[in-house]
Amino acid sequence: MKLNIEGLLVYFPYDYIYPEQYSYMLELKRTLDAKGHGVLEMPSGTGKTISLLSLIVAYQKAFPLDVTKLIYCSRTVPEIEKVVEELRKLMEFYAKETGEVNNFLALALSSRKNLCIHPEVSSLRFGKEVDGKCHSLTASYIRAQRHSNPDQPVCRFYEEFDAVGRQVPLPAGIYNLDDLKDFGRRKGWCPYYLARYSILHANIVVYSYHYLLDPKIADLVSKELAKKSVVVFDEAHNIDNVCIDSMSVNITRRTLDRCQGNVETLQHTIQKIKDTDAAKLREEYRRLVEGLKEANIARETDVYLANPVLPDEILQEAVPGSIRTAEHFLGFLRRFLEYLKSRLRVHHVVQESAPQFLKDIFEKVCIDRKPLRFCAERLQSLLRTLEIADIADFSAVTLIANFATLVSTYSLGFTIIIEPFDDRTPTIANPVLHFSCMDPSIAIKPVFQRFQSVVITSGTLSPLDIYPKILDFRPVTMASFTMTLARTCLCPLIVGRGNDQVALSSKFETREDFAVIRNYGNLLLEMSAIVPDGIVAFFTSYVYMENIVASWYEQGILENIQRNKLIFIETQDAAETSMALEKYQEACENGRGAILLSVARGKVSEGIDFVHHFGRAVIMFGVPYVYTQSRILKARLEYLRDQFQIRENDFLTFDAMRHAAQCVGRAIRGKTDYGLMIFADKRYARADKRGKLPRWIQEHISDGSLNLTVDETVQLSKHFLRQMAQPFRQVKPPDRRRVSLRATSPRLLSLCRRTSWVCLC
Amino acid sequence: MASLSEEVLLVVKKVRQRKQDGTLYLMAERIAWGPEGKDRFTVSHPYSDIRCQKISPDGKAKVQLQLVLHTGESTTFHFANESTALKDREAAKELLQQLLPKFKKKANKELEEKNRMLQEDPVLFQLYKDLVVSQVISAEEFWANRLGGLNNSEPAPYSNKQEVGISGAFLADIRPQTDGCNGLRYNLTTDIIESIFRTYPAVKQKYSENVPHSLTEKEFWTRFFQSHYFHRDRINTGTQDIFSECAKQDEKGLMSLVNKGVKNPLVDLLSLEDKTLDEGYGLKQALPSTSNTNKTVKESSNAAIIKRFNHHSAMVLAAGSRKNEVPADQASETSSTDGNSRDSDFFQPPVKKVKLQEAIEYEDLQRESKQKTVALNLKKSDRYAHGPVPLQSQKYTTSQDIINAVNCIQQEMAHYKPNLTQVREQNSNTFLPSTEMVPSDIQGELKHLYVAAGELLRHFWSCFPVNTSFLEDKLTGHLEEMLQTAYGKFHIWQTRRMMRKT
C-alpha cells in the first residue's frame, strides 16, 4: 500500500498496516526532518524493521541530497540477514508498483568468517583464525613479496578483486551475505573486500554494532562513511554495554607473559632485519619523523587494529623521539611491561583513576604521558615494517599497547582496578588489572557527532529517558508505542507466593531457602502439565540455575516434570547449547513438548526467538539483577551517580528489568502469536519494578494478577490458554475491531480521513 | 504330522481323557495325550491353538484341567493318580502357564493373517486345497514360504504402523520401594527395559555382552541400579564398575551430537555473534578457562546433572524418531560427499532462506486471498502434458502429431467399409478351439494342476543353493516325493481325460 506520512509518499509492502507502525513512521519522519537523534520503542513483532526501512527508503528517494545513506546496525548475524530480506521485499514492492528498475544498492557486511570464499581459509572454524589466515594471504608486504617470489601463496580472490573489482562498482541490487558470496564466486572476487569497498557508495548498509561502536574496527571500516547518513541501532537495549565492552581491557599475568614473549620475538626480528635490511628500519624512522598521518596510510588489508579513538591532533604530530627507533620502542615497551608486572604483585585490591596511574608510572619508571599515547600507533608501524605475517600471535602486545594509549588519552570515564584474586576463590592468586570504561558515551560519541540522525530503537527501551542520559545525547523525539491487539495475546502474571504462602523471591537472603526452591519447582511442574508445546524458563544467573536444578533433581521434581515434557538446559558451552536448542525445537515440533532452562543475560535470552509453539510460556524465576558485589559495577554506579545523577538503585532496577523484559519478550514475536509471561518473584509486583517494564507489557498487568499463588496462576493460565487455542479468526475490514487498516472501501476511506489515517491506495 | 524329534518337557501318567486312561505329554510346541498301551496320540494340540486353560476348583473330587481351543472346542484331562493328582495338575498348569503366552501372540496374529490371505485370494485357497489338504506338502512348509515372501514383497502394511516413542520419565517410573528390611526393590517391566535399551544403547551393549555368561539378568539390573551410572554423581565412576564405560560412551555420543552442529542457522549460537571481542577486551573476563581448574566437586556434579539431562532428552527424542532419522542422514551425507566438509555451505542456503522468510513474514498484514498451494514439481513437463507413451516409441508425439493422427483416423472412418466375412474367419481360426473344445471345468482343473505344480517347483528351486542339511533333507527326501505325487496326480488326471475322451 501507499501511505502519506505528512506529505511523504511511502511505499509499504503489505496490504494492511498496524496503527503503531503508522505512528512509528510519523515519529521517525519528524526525527529525520529535524536532522536529530531519536529514541523509539515499539514491541517486537509489530513490524518495526519494515516500518523503519519503508520510511527511510522513501525519505532517501524523496530527498536524495539530505539523506545519502542508511546505516542499519543490528546485533546478530541472523538479524542482519533478516533485515536484508525485509529490504528485498520492500524493493520488490517498489519495482512492482512504480515499474522502475531498482537503482538502490544495499548490502550486508559481516566478518570474514561469514563472507570468505577461499576454500582453505573459509574452512577454518573460528573467526580469529579466518582473519589471521586471510591476513597472511592478503597483507600488502606479502603481496609485494610475491613480485620477487612467485611461490608466495596469495588469495586469488583478493588479487582478482584488487585488479578488476575496484573499477567496476557493484551493480545496484540487494545483497545479503549469501548473495555477496555468490556474486564473488561468479566473478572470482573476494566478497569481504568487495563489501567493505562497496559500503562507501551503497545506499543502505546493514552490519553489526561493532563496526560502528568498537573504535578498533570502526576506524578501519566505517571511517569514511558519509556524514549525511542516518544511523539506526536496532535491538539497542543493550547498547551501553556494547560501548563499554569495546573500550575495556583486562590484563592478567598470562597476558603479560605472552606479551613478554612477543617483545622477545620482535627483538629477534629486528636484529635479523638489521643485519640484512637495515634500510627498511631507517625508512620507517624517516616516516615516523614525518608524522603519523603519512606513516599510517595503511592498506586496507593490514588488519592491525587501529588506535582506539586517537584525537585528530595527535595524528598530525610526529612520533616522539624517545620511541622512534625500533629498539628504543622495544625498550620502552619492556619498561612498561615491568611496571605492569610490579603492579600486579599486589595483595589487596587497588582502585585508581587514569591520572593517578599516569602519575605513578611517571614517578616509578619515568614514562611520560605523550609516548604512551602513541604506543598503539607505533606498534602497528613496527609490526608492518617487520612484516609480521601472523598478527594473531601478537594480540597480547597489541592489547598492552592499546591499553597504554587509552589510559593516557582519557582522564575521565575510566577506572583501574587491580584485584589480586577472584572473589569466589580467595586462596588462589590470580591478579587481574581491569581497565574498565564506565562511560558508554565515550565510544558512541563520535557516532552522534558525525552522523546527522541516529535512531535508537528496540522492543524494550523502557524507561526511555535513561538512554539519552547514559549515552549523553539530546534526542529530538522519544516515543514508546504499544501494541494494538485484536485479542490479548499476552498474559503477564506475577507469582508472589507458593501454595503454602511462602513468598517467592530470588533475593539474596532467601536464595538458598529450601521452601522457595521447592515452590519454584512446583510452579514449573504445574505449568508443564497445562502449557502445550514449549516452555522457556529463565534464571537470574548460571550458578543459581545450577543450584536449583541440582536441588530439583534431589527432590524428584525434575523427574515429575519429565512425565510431561522433555527437559533441556543451557550450558556454558555454546555448541552444546545450540544442540540442546535444536533438540528443544524438534521436541516442540513433533508434539512431545519440552522445557528449556536458560539464563537471563545469556546467549539464548539475547539472540533466540521462541515464536509460536516454541514458547507458549516464559517463566522468569527471580529478578535478574547483575552481580552487585563486583567492584567494576560499583565503580560504574558511582560514576553514573556523580556524572549523570542516576541513583544506583534506579540503574540496577532498570538494568534488571530490561533483561527481564528481554527474556519474556522472546515468546511474543507477532500478533498471531500468543504466550504466557510469568514473573515468579514477588518483587515484580512493586510499582518501581513494574513501572520499568515496557509499556506494552505493563498495560496488560491487571491488579488481579499481581501477587498470585501457584494455584491461582495455573487457573488463570488454563483459562488464557483455552481462549487462545481457539482459531484466530481474522476479522478483515470494514469491521472496526480489525487492528490493521486497509483503505479500500469508501466507507473506510472516510473513516480514515476522520481519524487522520491518510491512505492513498 | 509327527515331527521327528520333539523335546518332551513333562510327562504325566494316569491322565484320563474321555474315560480312557492314558499319558499326557507336554512338548516344546504342543500338548498331546495318548491312550495307555498305544503308540500314538489321539489328542494333540499345538500350543498356538489353545486359547486358555481352566482348572477345576480345589475342593472338587475330580482334579481336572480343561483346554479351550480357538475353535471353541475343549478338551478335558482328568488327573487320576490318587496320591499325586493335585501335584501333577499343578505341574502341568504351571508349565502351560509359561508356555501358552509365548505362543499366544504369534499364533493369533498368524492365524488371522493366514485366514485373511486364504479368504482374499481364491487362487491361493485352491492351491492350499490342492497341496495341503491333499497332503502333498505340510501346512507349515506351505506357509513358511508364503508368509515370508509376503512380508518381503509388501512390507507396507506392517511398517506403516507408527512407532511408539519413549516416555521421558521412564526412569522416574522405576521408583524403588523399600522392602522393609533395609533394601530397595525395583520393579522392572519389559517396557521399561526396552526403554532403557533404546535410550541408552551402551547399556544394551553391556547387557548383551554380560548377561548370559558372566551375570544373571537379575544381577545385571541390580548392578545397574547400584552403579554410579544410574546415579547423579557420575564423575566418580570407579574402574570396577561395568557401567563406567557406558558413561564414557554417553559422553562421546553427546560430543558427537554437539560436533554435528545444528542445521537451523537461527539457533546456532556459535555463529550468532558477528564480531566477538578479542581476548582481553571487554568487561567480563573469560571465565571458563580459569574456573575449570578450581571448580568444586559440587559444581562439577551439578554440571554433570545438566549434561545428563540434555543427553537424556536428546536420546529419548532420537529414540522416538529413529526411523525417520536414517534417511535424513543419508540425504545429507550424499549431498555432502562431493567435495570437502565446507561444501555443506552450498547445501545450507535453502534451509536458511526458508527460515529467514518465515521469520519476516507478517501473515496478518497480507491479504488472505493468497492461498498457499503446493507447487507442481515437474521433472519433464512434456510428459505431464502428453501422458505416458509406450516405451518403444523413441520420441514423444507432439500435439501436432496427435491432431494429424486424429484427422487421419476421421478420414479413414469416413471411408470405412466393413468386411464382415473376413473378420469372422479370422476369429474362428484363433479363438474357437480353446473355448469350444475344452469345457470350462477341465480348463479349471488344468489350471489348478498347473498352479500346484508351479508352487512345488518354486519350493524346489528355493532350496538352491543347498547350504544347510535341512535343505538337503528337504530336497532329497520329501520334495522329490512331492513332485512324484504331483506328477502322479497329473498323470491320473490325464488318463482320466483320455478315458473320458475316448
Side-chain angles (χ1 to χ4, degrees):
Chain A
M1 69 194 290
K2 291 184 227 168
L3 295 158
N4 179 358
I5 309 280
E6 287 186 345
L8 179 72
L9 172 64
V10 174
Y11 285 86
F12 189 72
Y14 290 94
D15 299 313
Y16 304 95
I17 185 169
Y18 298 134
E20 57 267 34
Q21 284 179 316
Y22 181 83
S23 343
Y24 188 90
M25 288 191 206
L26 223 56
E27 288 297 332
L28 191 60
K29 170 151 190 304
R30 285 172 194 158
T31 316
L32 297 187
D33 282 342
K35 296 196 190 327
H37 312 312
V39 181
L40 301 171
E41 179 189 61
M42 184 155 89
S44 46
T46 47
K48 197 167 41 211
T49 311
I50 193 65
S51 320
L52 261 168
L53 292 172
S54 309
L55 187 98
I56 298 179
V57 167
Y59 206 92
Q60 268 179 295
K61 296 218 173 204
F63 311 103
L65 293 178
D66 287 348
V67 173
T68 52
K69 194 190 287 286
L70 164 64
I71 305 171
Y72 197 108
C73 304
S74 196
R75 203 172 37 171
T76 62
V77 178
E79 267 159 18
I80 289 169
E81 292 189 296
K82 264 189 245 171
V83 172
V84 180
E85 287 310 314
E86 296 213 35
L87 189 62
R88 191 193 308 279
K89 188 167 192 168
L90 176 65
M91 287 307 177
E92 275 164 11
F93 183 71
Y94 259 100
K96 205 179 87 190
E97 288 292 307
T98 58
E100 291 167 17
V101 183
N102 173 33
N103 54 356
F104 255 53
L105 174 63
L107 60 101
L109 174 64
S110 179
S111 55
R112 288 183 179 83
K113 185 175 164 257
N114 295 322
L115 280 175
C116 183
I117 54 170
H118 190 280
E120 262 174 61
V121 181
S122 61
S123 63
L124 295 170
R125 270 187 82 180
F126 296 102
K128 224 183 269 174
E129 292 171 358
V130 177
D131 287 352
K133 185 87 182 154
C134 176
H135 177 257
S136 72
L137 291 177
T138 56
S140 51
Y141 51 83
I142 298 273
R143 297 177 56 229
Q145 273 171 22
R146 189 177 160 79
H147 289 301
S148 52
N149 173 18
D151 291 339
Q152 180 77 36
V154 293
C155 174
R156 66 189 158 92
F157 296 104
Y158 181 74
E159 295 301 321
E160 187 69 21
F161 164 71
D162 198 44
V164 192
R166 278 179 220 277
Q167 275 79 49
V168 198
L170 192 63
I174 315 293
Y175 296 90
N176 214 334
L177 299 178
D178 289 328
D179 304 322
L180 282 169
K181 273 162 122 175
D182 276 350
F183 185 80
R185 277 201 196 95
R186 258 205 323 275
K187 295 270 187 181
W189 297 350
C190 172
Y192 174 73
Y193 285 105
L194 176 68
R196 254 179 68 181
Y197 175 72
S198 302
I199 60 171
L200 297 180
H201 61 262
N203 300 83
I204 299 170
V205 181
V206 186
Y207 57 28
S208 110
Y209 296 159
H210 300 282
Y211 289 93
L212 216 50
L213 291 182
D214 191 338
K216 304 185 277 311
I217 313 170
D219 202 51
L220 206 68
V221 178
S222 314
K223 201 153 71 177
E224 292 164 52
L225 294 182
K227 206 170 159 41
K228 284 184 177 172
S229 304
V230 175
V231 178
V232 175
F233 289 108
D234 198 359
E235 308 285 339
H237 45 270
N238 234 347
I239 197 166
D240 51 328
N241 289 331
V242 177
C243 293
I244 283 179
D245 270 344
S246 66
M247 300 288 276
S248 299
V249 174
N250 299 303
I251 297 172
T252 61
R253 248 187 212 156
R254 211 167 70 95
T255 325
L256 293 182
D257 290 343
R258 282 178 49 211
C259 187
Q260 187 78 47
N262 288 346
V263 172
E264 298 305 324
T265 325
L266 287 177
Q267 178 73 47
H268 281 299
T269 328
I270 289 173
Q271 205 57 48
K272 236 191 294 171
I273 287 196
K274 227 176 170 181
D275 297 340
T276 57
D277 195 4
K280 208 182 254 172
L281 287 173
R282 275 202 298 280
E283 165 69 9
E284 189 204 19
Y285 184 86
R286 193 190 54 75
R287 270 189 288 138
L288 290 175
V289 175
E290 279 169 13
L292 271 181
K293 199 75 178 174
E294 265 71 28
N296 198 24
I297 315 177
R299 312 254 162 78
E300 57 174 358
T301 53
D302 300 343
V303 286
Y304 302 105
L305 294 182
N307 51 345
V309 209
L310 261 191
D312 276 341
E313 63 267 25
I314 286 193
L315 287 175
Q316 312 298 340
E317 287 178 44
V319 174
S322 56
I323 56 170
R324 225 176 273 159
T325 60
E327 284 105 335
H328 287 173
F329 178 59
L330 279 191
F332 173 84
L333 271 183
R334 278 218 190 87
R335 242 182 318 147
F336 186 57
L337 258 181
E338 284 309 317
Y339 173 74
L340 287 179
K341 272 186 188 161
S342 76
R343 290 306 303 267
L344 278 187
R345 277 193 288 271
V346 288
H347 295 291
H348 54 94
V349 181
V350 177
Q351 178 171 1
E352 60 188 19
S353 65
Q356 276 171 319
F357 181 86
L358 290 176
K359 186 161 167 274
D360 192 56
I361 198 172
F362 182 71
E363 282 168 4
K364 292 223 172 94
V365 287
C366 291
I367 288 184
D368 215 357
R369 183 169 170 227
K370 197 171 168 199
L372 273 180
R373 287 175 93 174
F374 284 91
C375 216
E377 276 304 315
R378 180 65 188 89
L379 179 70
Q380 281 165 47
S381 163
L382 182 67
L383 289 177
R384 249 195 318 270
T385 315
L386 297 183
E387 305 186 343
I388 305 287
D390 203 355
I391 50 145
D393 289 345
F394 288 85
S395 60
V397 72
T398 319
L399 179 78
I400 297 292
N402 278 340
F403 164 66
T405 305
L406 278 172
V407 79
S408 51
T409 307
Y410 297 99
S411 54
L412 208 62
F414 287 85
T415 188
I416 294 167
I417 295 172
I418 306 172
E419 285 178 327
F421 47 73
D422 195 344
D423 272 345
R424 272 166 293 179
T425 53
T427 49
I428 302 160
N430 179 28
V432 188
L433 186 148
H434 300 283
F435 176 69
S436 56
C437 174
M438 293 179 301
D439 191 349
S441 66
I442 292 175
I444 206 170
K445 189 176 235 150
V447 179
F448 281 123
Q449 277 175 349
R450 180 177 176 94
F451 299 108
Q452 76 179 27
S453 283
V454 178
V455 178
I456 289 182
T457 185
S458 172
T460 50
L461 280 179
S462 298
L464 284 179
D465 52 336
I466 205 160
Y467 283 91
K469 265 193 204 165
I470 56 176
L471 296 179
D472 194 22
F473 71 103
R474 196 161 297 137
V476 292
T477 47
M478 277 210 287
S480 172
F481 304 95
T482 179
M483 198 176 195
T484 50
L485 293 172
R487 54 171 190 176
T488 42
C489 68
L490 61 150
C491 176
L493 300 172
I494 296 173
V495 190
R497 296 165 290 152
N499 287 339
D500 46 5
Q501 301 301 321
V502 170
L504 292 184
S505 175
S506 71
K507 68 179 176 206
F508 188 71
E509 296 81 43
T510 61
R511 182 164 285 196
E512 305 283 315
D513 191 344
F514 210 63
V516 173
I517 295 178
R518 191 190 58 231
N519 272 311
Y520 272 159
N522 226 359
L523 173 66
L524 187 62
L525 176 60
E526 301 262 342
M527 295 312 289
S528 75
I530 58 160
V531 176
D533 300 321
I535 299 180
V536 192
F538 288 100
F539 294 85
T540 53
S541 74
Y542 195 78
V543 181
Y544 186 52
M545 178 175 81
E546 262 188 353
N547 287 337
I548 284 202
V549 166
S551 82
W552 281 354
Y553 177 80
E554 274 156 16
Q555 295 171 34
I557 291 173
L558 285 184
E559 284 181 347
N560 286 327
I561 292 173
Q562 276 185 322
R563 280 178 220 280
N564 301 324
K565 288 181 193 305
L566 293 178
I567 299 176
F568 293 96
I569 306 172
E570 180 178 359
T571 67
Q572 277 167 329
D573 178 52
E576 212 174 310
T577 310
S578 305
M579 190 275 294
L581 257 176
E582 197 181 48
K583 295 282 173 200
Y584 167 80
Q585 292 201 340
E586 195 184 323
C588 293
E589 202 76 76
N590 73 11
R592 195 186 258 277
I595 291 180
L596 183 73
L597 304 183
S598 180
V599 177
R601 298 165 191 276
K603 280 201 165 142
V604 172
S605 72
E606 282 291 321
I608 307 293
D609 290 342
F610 296 98
V611 285
H612 296 289
H613 58 288
F614 293 139
R616 282 301 179 214
V618 188
I619 306 176
M620 184 72 236
F621 289 113
V623 184
Y625 278 112
V626 66
Y627 175 62
T628 49
Q629 296 308 305
S630 117
R631 290 186 186 84
I632 302 174
L633 181 75
K634 279 181 181 159
R636 185 174 173 201
L637 289 176
E638 226 164 79
Y639 184 82
L640 284 173
R641 194 188 55 210
D642 295 346
Q643 296 294 317
F644 303 119
Q645 286 78 48
I646 298 171
R647 278 186 301 159
E648 292 164 18
N649 246 340
D650 278 352
F651 181 77
L652 286 176
T653 312
F654 149 75
D655 186 60
M657 294 316 279
R658 69 172 164 183
H659 280 105
Q662 264 306 300
C663 291
V664 295
R666 297 280 119 196
I668 305 275
R669 296 276 123 176
K671 298 190 178 186
T672 50
D673 203 354
Y674 66 87
L676 286 158
M677 300 175 165
I678 295 172
F679 298 92
D681 194 309
K682 69 166 194 227
R683 289 175 289 174
Y684 283 110
R686 289 190 208 143
D688 67 316
K689 307 279 186 307
R690 221 176 353 134
K692 289 194 169 67
L693 282 174
R695 224 177 95 198
W696 57 279
I697 298 179
Q698 228 182 95
E699 60 184 17
H700 290 102
I701 304 180
S702 62
D703 285 342
S705 56
L706 277 188
N707 191 19
L708 305 169
T709 66
V710 173
D711 270 352
E712 287 163 349
T713 313
V714 169
Q715 283 313 314
L716 285 171
S717 309
K718 264 188 186 161
H719 180 72
F720 171 76
L721 289 169
R722 229 188 341 254
Q723 249 181 355
M724 287 298 123
Q726 304 306 315
F728 182 26
R729 254 189 330 116
Q730 302 205 353
V731 193
K732 294 286 173 186
D735 195 313
R736 299 262 181 95
R737 274 178 302 163
R738 174 72 192 164
V739 289
S740 46
L741 293 176
R742 178 176 160 74
T744 41
S745 67
R747 220 186 91 207
L748 197 80
L749 263 177
S750 69
L751 175 93
C752 285
R753 244 165 246 135
R754 257 183 287 131
T755 53
S756 85
W757 293 93
V758 186
C759 307
L760 295 175
C761 39
Chain B
M1 270 191 139
S3 305
L4 295 176
S5 64
E6 271 183 302
E7 196 190 348
V8 179
L9 302 173
L10 184 71
V11 182
V12 187
K13 289 195 172 153
K14 289 205 178 166
V15 178
R16 307 187 75 174
Q17 206 259 331
R18 291 204 179 145
K19 313 222 161 136
Q20 228 181 338
D21 273 328
T23 312
L24 184 70
Y25 297 88
L26 272 85
M27 280 162 287
E29 292 192 342
R30 59 181 179 142
I31 185 168
W33 180 85
E36 206 157 326
K38 281 188 185 151
D39 204 14
R40 58 186 180 81
F41 302 131
T42 50
V43 179
S44 165
H45 300 304
Y47 292 130
S48 50
D49 287 351
I50 298 171
R51 182 188 290 159
C52 63
Q53 57 169 336
K54 291 177 178 171
I55 53 168
S56 56
D58 278 345
K60 253 191 157 181
K62 277 185 179 174
V63 182
Q64 284 179 317
L65 178 86
Q66 190 183 38
L67 300 177
V68 183
L69 306 184
H70 288 299
T71 49
E73 297 165 38
S74 65
T75 316
T76 312
F77 299 106
H78 175 203
F79 293 83
N81 193 340
E82 273 144 39
S83 55
T84 60
L86 215 57
K87 225 172 77 191
D88 286 347
R89 202 223 16 216
E90 285 305 306
K93 189 196 80 177
E94 288 281 331
L95 192 60
L96 275 176
Q97 233 167 19
Q98 286 176 24
L99 290 170
L100 286 183
K102 284 189 197 164
F103 289 90
K104 204 160 214 164
K105 251 187 196 161
K106 203 173 106 199
N108 281 348
K109 246 195 201 155
E110 260 181 37
L111 268 181
E112 264 172 40
E113 187 57 35
K114 285 175 188 172
N115 258 331
R116 191 187 59 81
M117 279 171 68
L118 286 182
Q119 275 168 10
E120 280 178 4
D121 191 348
V123 179
L124 191 72
F125 186 52
Q126 183 60 46
L127 195 63
Y128 186 79
K129 277 204 296 196
D130 283 346
L131 292 177
V132 181
V133 179
S134 61
Q135 300 201 339
V136 177
I137 58 175
S138 71
E140 279 160 45
E141 257 176 299
F142 180 80
W143 285 118
N145 223 325
R146 259 314 125 169
L147 283 175
L150 189 109
N151 280 348
N152 291 338
S153 61
E154 38 173 356
Y158 294 89
S159 62
N160 245 356
K161 256 203 283 174
Q162 207 175 3
E163 197 161 316
V164 181
I166 295 175
S167 155
F170 70 84
L171 282 178
D173 289 334
I174 27 177
R175 285 275 79 180
Q177 298 152 344
T178 45
D179 59 357
C181 50
N182 222 356
L184 290 173
R185 218 183 131 79
Y186 288 92
N187 284 327
L188 281 178
T189 63
T190 42
D191 273 353
I192 292 175
I193 291 178
E194 205 204 316
S195 300
I196 293 176
F197 283 165
R198 276 170 71 185
T199 327
Y200 298 109
V203 177
K204 186 177 186 178
Q205 199 192 329
K206 278 280 159 222
Y207 180 84
S208 55
E209 274 172 20
N210 285 320
V211 161
H213 324 296
S214 48
L215 292 171
T216 68
E217 184 161 4
K218 197 178 167 191
E219 270 171 3
F220 179 83
W221 290 116
T222 313
R223 286 216 195 167
F224 176 75
F225 288 116
Q226 282 170 347
S227 72
H228 288 298
Y229 181 69
F230 180 69
H231 294 286
R232 60 170 226 165
D233 30 7
R234 270 193 191 179
I235 35 168
N236 300 327
T237 43
T239 41
Q240 80 283 9
D241 191 347
I242 56 167
F243 292 102
S244 57
E245 215 173 290
C246 296
K248 272 179 213 144
Q249 269 184 22
D250 280 358
E251 192 98 329
K252 237 186 261 167
L254 190 65
M255 282 311 289
S256 75
L257 269 180
V258 168
N259 286 337
K260 230 196 271 172
V262 289
K263 292 198 188 80
N264 180 358
L266 294 191
V267 300
D268 190 358
L269 293 172
L270 285 174
S271 62
L272 215 54
E273 291 275 328
D274 188 22
K275 192 97 191 180
T276 47
L277 289 166
D278 282 335
E279 197 183 343
Y281 296 96
L283 276 186
K284 296 162 215 146
Q285 69 249 61
L287 271 177
S289 58
T290 53
S291 63
N292 244 347
T293 48
N294 46 31
K295 247 187 192 171
T296 61
V297 177
K298 193 185 165 214
E299 269 173 355
S300 49
S301 95
N302 286 353
I305 294 175
I306 286 178
K307 259 207 170 117
R308 199 174 148 200
F309 268 104
N310 278 343
H311 180 247
H312 175 82
S313 301
M315 289 311 285
V316 166
L317 199 61
S321 55
R322 198 152 279 164
K323 272 274 161 57
N324 308 335
E325 207 173 303
V326 177
D329 265 2
Q330 278 171 348
S332 65
E333 251 170 57
T334 47
S335 66
S336 63
T337 40
D338 46 332
N340 50 16
S341 62
R342 187 69 185 186
D343 268 12
S344 58
D345 231 36
F346 296 107
F347 180 63
Q348 202 184 8
V351 185
K352 197 166 154 186
K353 263 234 153 98
V354 171
K355 293 278 173 193
L356 282 177
Q357 282 301 333
E358 262 172 30
I360 64 165
E361 201 67 26
Y362 289 95
E363 52 188 23
D364 53 338
L365 286 184
Q366 241 130 18
R367 223 177 305 196
E368 289 161 288
S369 58
K370 267 197 219 156
Q371 270 182 344
K372 276 193 182 159
T373 49
V374 180
L376 193 58
N377 182 15
L378 288 180
K379 295 242 167 61
K380 290 177 182 164
S381 54
D382 208 33
R383 216 166 131 182
Y384 174 74
H386 298 299
V389 181
L391 256 177
Q392 60 260 35
S393 73
Q394 285 299 313
K395 63 180 179 69
Y396 299 122
T397 35
T398 61
S399 315
Q400 193 53 48
D401 284 344
I402 291 171
I403 294 167
N404 287 347
V406 170
N407 283 342
C408 197
I409 288 172
Q410 270 175 346
Q411 273 187 358
E412 285 284 312
M413 288 301 282
H415 302 126
Y416 176 67
K417 279 185 191 138
N419 199 344
L420 288 172
T421 48
Q422 261 180 357
V423 172
R424 202 174 148 68
E425 209 164 69
Q426 265 177 358
N427 254 358
S428 64
N429 279 342
T430 50
F431 293 116
L432 271 179
S434 55
T435 44
E436 280 183 7
M437 288 171 68
V438 184
S440 61
D441 57 330
I442 297 170
Q443 257 189 66
E445 278 174 34
L446 190 61
K447 206 167 133 195
H448 292 151
L449 277 171
Y450 173 74
V451 172
E455 178 68 17
L456 281 176
L457 277 173
R458 209 166 60 80
H459 275 273
F460 178 77
W461 286 117
S462 71
C463 290
F464 291 97
V466 191
N467 43 16
T468 63
S469 59
F470 170 72
L471 282 178
E472 203 178 325
D473 277 356
K474 188 175 172 181
L475 208 58
T476 53
H478 53 289
L479 248 181
E480 216 176 307
E481 232 167 77
M482 288 174 204
L483 284 173
Q484 236 11 276
T485 329
Y487 185 73
K489 265 182 102 177
F490 176 69
H491 200 72
I492 294 167
W493 178 79
Q494 205 175 23
T495 44
R496 208 175 56 213
R497 275 285 306 153
M498 298 303 279
M499 299 259 292
R500 208 179 295 167
K501 219 174 185 182
T502 51

